Amino acid sequence: MLLVHKYGGTSVGDLERIENVASRIMKASDAGNNIVVVVSAMSGETNKLIDYATHFTTTPAKQEMDMLLSSGERVTAALLAIALQAKGYKAVAMTGRQAGIVTDSVHTYARIKSIDPKAMLDAINDGKIVIVAGFQGINEDGNVTTLGRGGSDLSAVAIAGAINADACEIYSDVDGIYTTDPRIEPKAKKLNTISYDEMLEMASLGAKVLQNRSVELAKKLDVKLYAKSSFSDNEGTLITKESANMEEVLVSGVVLDKNQARVTLRNVSDRPGIAAEIFTKLAEMGINVDMITQNVGIDGSTNLGFTIPQSELDNAKSVIESFDHDIGSMDFDKNLCKVSVVGVGMKSHAGVAAKAFRTLAASNINIQMISTSEIKISVIIDEKYGELAIRILHDAYELDK
Ligand code: ADP
Ligand code: ASP
Ligand code: MG
């Protein structure tokens, strides 16, 4: 079989773990598989590099950030190839560029435009194990780009699509997708399968076990995607198309996202086009706006609130400051989190949201913002109640059963 294996930061966190990954790959290779391996930087490495940059400024140029951040993955790719070669296996390490990955020019959040798999396939035909540095590509001008946090998952899925792999296996420190983060709720249950759509919601809502764009792409390209552990041989979770029996399950998981900040704009000119201008500028800065609320205007002005990732707060401030004529004042709140309930079964059941609200009310947790879709309910609450909310909702929907 032709397989893509992706090993995340904890799996390659030190030299011993890289050796462990090398042994797993050797086993898969000995079993007759051809393998392209995608690796993350060692755990903590990307954050360390970000800290280095923010020593100088809180808004470093994104092109240079990509130059900096892409280095972490190159280190592990090279080390893993060296480890395999030391065991007598043929292996070659490639950067994103060498692997033929071309992206757009949105630095630190680039989208993959195309992959020319020739170099990877030539190496495989040469009997080599191919090790690709994840999370990166180049734009059409040849500058290095990165794919957003957790982006090695996206590299892996995109490569699996480009080489038409039989499966893409994402290895981390958990042996699959659980009903919630098992670090928060030890009673969380592992799911044998989950639909692309539910997984996409969970990932987009902050379950970092898979990067959301990787799930979106897996669905689009019909890539057979597994989440597995690099520390055990347990069967993982298959992420796949929705099937009839999945809909019988009302709720498949609950998700906590602590990386939330709210921006509140007061006395905003209540005129056509103002929201378009503000949100276009935020989008041009690559800032992902999540929930938005706008009050009914009074006397030509209104209040506008929205949530963004905490890491984008400084960038958002600089965008908002450029609107000084149209915005009276702005406030920021970082002590929040988002809690979400996800399940395809919600499409056909009433009362799922009401149950979540009742459950939170019973523990005296105040809801500050709400957003819903066909298959999810999200609420913004005080950060200090986030983990409690996950546990009581997990209980309320009997996810441990
Ligand atoms: P890697 O560094 O290998 O990419 P991540 O840290 O990104 O791994 O993802 C694995 C982590 O995801 C787990 O340690 C776990 O705490 C967290 N996680 C969050 N939600 C879930 C979930 N629903 N199921 C499994 N793991 C989850
Ligand atoms: N190293 C990058 C990050 O920490 C990409 C990844 O691990 O997937 O976000
Ligand atoms: Mg990850």
Side-chain angles (χ1 to χ4, degrees), residues 139-249:
N139 66 12
E140 269 153 6
D141 300 325
N143 298 315
V144 180
T145 53
T146 64
L147 308 176
R149 296 308 304 269
S152 299
D153 295 341
L154 180 61
S155 308
V157 169
I159 288 172
I163 64 173
N164 215 350
D166 295 297
C168 179
E169 304 178 352
I170 308 280
Y171 289 88
S172 74
D173 58 351
V174 275
D175 58 1
I177 311 300
Y178 281 71
T179 48
T180 194
D181 189 339
R183 288 177 204 266
I184 298 175
E185 173 53 277
K187 286 189 284 181
K189 259 185 69 180
K190 186 164 80 180
L191 303 165
N192 293 326
T193 58
I194 183 169
S195 71
Y196 288 120
D197 287 334
E198 285 170 308
M199 191 63 240
L200 180 57
E201 282 289 1
M202 283 174 70
S204 305
L205 293 166
K208 65 170 186 157
V209 58
L210 288 176
Q211 191 227 29
N212 59 347
R213 285 161 58 191
S214 72
V215 182
E216 195 179 9
L217 190 65
K219 180 184 178 187
K220 191 170 142 198
L221 302 179
D222 212 356
V223 169
K224 204 169 173 197
L225 187 62
Y226 289 92
K228 297 185 176 188
S229 165
S230 64
F231 302 104
S232 77
D233 289 321
N234 296 351
E235 215 167 293
T237 300
L238 171 65
I239 298 103
T240 185
K241 285 188 194 125
E242 196 172 312
S243 65
N245 71 11
M246 283 179 183
E247 276 173 53
E248 288 164 18
V249 181

Side-chain angles (χ1 to χ4, degrees), residues 6-9 39-47 50 69 72-73 134-136 147-155 211:
K6 180 261 172 178
Y7 293 92
V39 286
S40 286
M42 292 177 167
S43 58
E45 194 59 29
T46 307
N47 288 338
I50 292 172
L69 298 188
E73 270 67 12
F135 177 54
Q136 58 187 279
L147 308 176
R149 296 308 304 269
S152 299
D153 295 341
L154 180 61
S155 308
Q211 191 227 29

